[in-house]
Amino acid sequence: PRVLTILGESFTITEARKVFAKFLGLDYKKIDHSNFKKDLLKFVKEVDERPTGVGRPSKFYAVDSPYLT
């Protein structure tokens, strides 16, 4: 999860998926969103919800502090 610190204080699940895909050398669409989110939620906490366009607002997450050390 420390690799997510390059995204700043908060990020969406899709942004995190894109970072992991880049490090793995994959297209981010090849990483299943549901499974990725289920695994990632163990290490992050929801911090905000903001509209990013039409439709439901995006949830923003931050790495939980125990995983930053």
Side-chain angles (χ1 to χ4, degrees):
R2 291 182 69 182
V3 71
L4 296 175
T5 57
I6 66 171
L7 290 172
E9 298 236 349
S10 62
F11 50 86
T12 64
I13 296 293
T14 301
E15 291 170 338
R17 199 168 101 212
K18 288 179 180 180
V19 167
F20 272 88
K22 195 63 138 174
F23 277 94
L24 296 172
L26 300 170
D27 178 23
Y28 83 97
K29 293 177 184 174
K30 291 191 183 255
I31 298 175
D32 182 68
H33 183 80
S34 297
N35 287 331
F36 181 79
K37 180 177 179 179
K38 183 174 66 173
D39 289 340
L40 189 66
L41 287 177
K42 300 171 192 169
F43 305 104
V44 298
K45 60 183 175 187
E46 186 178 333
V47 293
D48 199 5
E49 192 173 276
R50 292 180 230 149
T52 56
V54 179
R56 187 178 349 160
S58 295
K59 291 183 179 180
F60 282 75
Y61 298 87
V63 177
D64 210 358
S65 56
Y67 300 105
L68 291 176
T69 57

